[in-house]
Amino acid sequence: MNNLIKAIITDRRMLSSDVVSLTLAHPDGAPLPAFSAGAHISVHVNDDTIRQYSLCSAPTETAFYRLGILKDPKSRGGSIAIHEQLNVGDTVTISAPNNLFPLDMTAEHSVLAGGGIGITPMIAMAYALKAAGKSFTLHYCVRTHKEVAFLDELQRDFGDALRLHCDDLGDDQRLRPDIDFGAPSAGTHIYTCGPTGFMDWVMSSAKAMGFAERNIHFEYFNVDVDSSGEAFTVVAEQSGKTISVSGTQTIVQALSEAGIKVQVSCEQGICGTCIVDVLEGEPDHRDQFLTDEEKADNDQIAVCCSRAKSSVLVLDI
Ligand code: FES
């Protein structure tokens, strides 16, 4: 993988019982690559585990990157390893920033709605909007007030633009899209990140209010992807191998058993690391990475989770 950077952990602090913040800097103090709000980096947690985390520092700051990482009990090894194994002074390999969740800086007003750890890209967005003198509100939704992280900083830096919503503190302070998002208009854009159910609720509420789909922006970081289905055959053109993919296997797993390694990262159809060109056949797209137009072209597939509608899929691998 290109654009890898060795970074040193210069600060580590617990922001709540299960959120740790890590500050990463270049070992010799050089600036890190610039990024735009909404960007993430891949962290090589160990030889087998690469995970994506949103940058939650101000995009104007290139002396360091900051991450906020939830210790997820359903973790497949990434967040728990980070919480338990990474400390100040450790060196980690990271990717250059990549942004799949960019801000529209032409908006008249931006509504940022972060659920739980989904607040992290929203923090970078709030810094970018504030620096540009743009109007925004930052809604931070959590189940209990004990889960709130970054609070002192958010109150200090964003003042009245910050709206905190804790499910355990009563109905009158919960997020009310019909009130908090304002009247739908072409100049208002909605951004959301967080647990899937929360995001689906934010997006469906905004649509029901009349916000246009192009004004609703989202980034999934943890999705339940169903990658099972009918068995089919993959022809790996470059390798000259024909491989059966069972109903419960992913293409990546079947390729791996046949000795063909594909670089994967999120394994949930989010990051795009595993995208492979399709030479023949019709994919059954299950990922969140490709756009609807790209999916309709049927010439690429996320092999970590997507399957085939045709009985045979010929891949350029
Ligand atoms: S590994 Fe991330 S989309 Fe497949």
Side-chain angles (χ1 to χ4, degrees), residues 76-120:
R76 292 166 296 131
S79 69
I80 289 177
I82 287 176
H83 271 255
E84 295 180 352
Q85 295 169 15
L86 293 186
N87 290 298
V88 170
D90 289 346
T91 299
V92 287
T93 300
I94 61 174
S95 71
N98 185 23
N99 198 344
L100 304 176
F101 190 34
L103 269 175
D104 183 337
M105 295 301 286
T106 67
E108 291 161 17
H109 180 69
S110 299
V111 177
L112 313 175
I117 198 64
I119 193 66
T120 49

Side-chain angles (χ1 to χ4, degrees), residues 1-8 24-28 30-34 41-44 65 91-97:
M1 188 181 290
N2 295 325
N3 300 325
L4 295 182
I5 303 162
K6 294 279 184 201
I8 190 163
L24 307 171
H26 201 286
D28 63 12
L32 293 164
I41 58 171
S42 294
V43 176
H44 293 233
Y65 294 152
T91 299
V92 287
T93 300
I94 61 174
S95 71

Side-chain angles (χ1 to χ4, degrees), residues 52 252 263-275 287-289 302-305:
Q52 288 72 42
V252 162
Q263 176 90 44
V264 293
S265 182
C266 70
E267 297 175 70
Q268 294 179 297
I270 301 170
C271 71
T273 303
C274 68
I275 297 289
D287 65 286
Q288 305 277 350
F289 178 79
V303 289
C304 69
C305 62

Side-chain angles (χ1 to χ4, degrees), residues 181-254:
F181 291 0
S185 77
T188 298
H189 285 244
I190 312 279
Y191 297 81
T192 187
C193 184
T196 304
F198 169 79
M199 292 175 60
D200 289 346
W201 173 69
V202 167
M203 291 190 285
S204 61
S205 299
K207 280 181 200 162
M209 290 171 65
F211 282 96
E213 287 206 22
R214 64 179 172 280
N215 286 35
I216 303 171
H217 311 268
F218 57 93
E219 182 168 69
Y220 287 103
F221 54 68
N222 193 0
V223 297
D224 295 324
V225 56
D226 177 7
S227 53
S228 61
E230 297 292 316
F232 58 98
T233 298
V234 162
V235 176
E237 184 81 3
Q238 291 182 32
S239 313
K241 292 185 177 176
T242 299
I243 298 142
S244 296
V245 182
S246 76
T248 56
Q249 270 182 318
T250 64
I251 298 176
V252 162
Q253 290 166 341

